[in-house]
Amino acid sequence: MAEIKDPENTIILETTKGKVVIQLLPQVAPEHVARIKELAREKAYDGVVFHRVIQDFMAQTGDVEYGKKGSETFNPGRAGMGGSAKPDLKAEFSATSHVRGTCSMARSQNPNSANSQFFICFTDAPWLNKQYSVWGQVIEGMDNVDKIKRGEPVSDPDSIVSMRVAADV
């Protein structure tokens, strides 16, 4: 297992494909890291599907409104169109590159529209640099991310079983 040096800034993501450990980057995107931790601590991500997974690009999840299996608002046809009840975040674009294992916030055309959805890069994606807010880096379990079922939308998608701040586990 990867050595967790800063449990308060590490996420343990259990997926239907296995465990993924993410090092948070509060020095790069403090507001986005705070939001990810807040939603993880509320267990908002538990049961949320990977609704958009593109081969050689990324796996997107985090729609806590329409993408959470078992919730009253779960709607596979709308997964990817929702967020949380929290306000959207202001962009925190940085010089941190989108490389394999980068965790970054999804958003609409509006740069200040990130809310709860995020993606994990399968490969380097330099065209995203300075246009999306990078908040973390996978430090263990990329082999499990690689196993996530592909599709746009994904039929019978994989999901987040649980997402916790390591300090709370």
Side-chain angles (χ1 to χ4, degrees), residues 55-116:
Q55 181 67 32
D56 298 322
F57 181 29
M58 58 89 214
Q60 186 171 332
T61 185
D63 182 346
V64 301
E65 184 175 5
Y66 301 119
K68 188 177 177 92
K69 284 184 180 176
S71 73
E72 287 180 19
T73 57
F74 178 60
N75 182 337
R78 295 200 68 195
M81 296 179 193
S84 74
K86 301 175 188 320
D88 288 348
L89 295 165
K90 236 181 147 165
E92 292 179 297
F93 301 157
S94 69
T96 304
S97 295
H98 285 78
V99 297
R100 177 170 165 77
T102 295
C103 301
S104 193
M105 292 303 273
R107 61 172 177 80
S108 70
Q109 293 293 94
N110 176 351
N112 300 314
S113 63
N115 186 292
S116 65

Side-chain angles (χ1 to χ4, degrees), residues 42-56:
E42 292 172 0
K43 299 181 169 78
Y45 288 119
D46 296 8
V48 175
V49 299
F50 285 90
H51 65 271
R52 182 172 178 244
V53 185
I54 304 170
Q55 181 67 32
D56 298 322

Side-chain angles (χ1 to χ4, degrees), residues 114-152:
N115 186 292
S116 65
Q117 291 189 47
F118 65 90
F119 58 90
I120 303 171
C121 294
F122 290 126
T123 58
D124 295 359
W127 63 91
L128 300 178
N129 293 349
K130 298 182 182 172
Q131 295 186 58
Y132 290 82
S133 298
V134 173
W135 57 265
Q137 181 67 38
V138 172
I139 57 171
E140 178 188 316
M142 260 319 282
D143 55 329
N144 293 324
V145 175
D146 289 336
K147 295 174 193 168
I148 294 170
K149 193 174 180 188
R150 309 299 200 260
E152 253 192 300

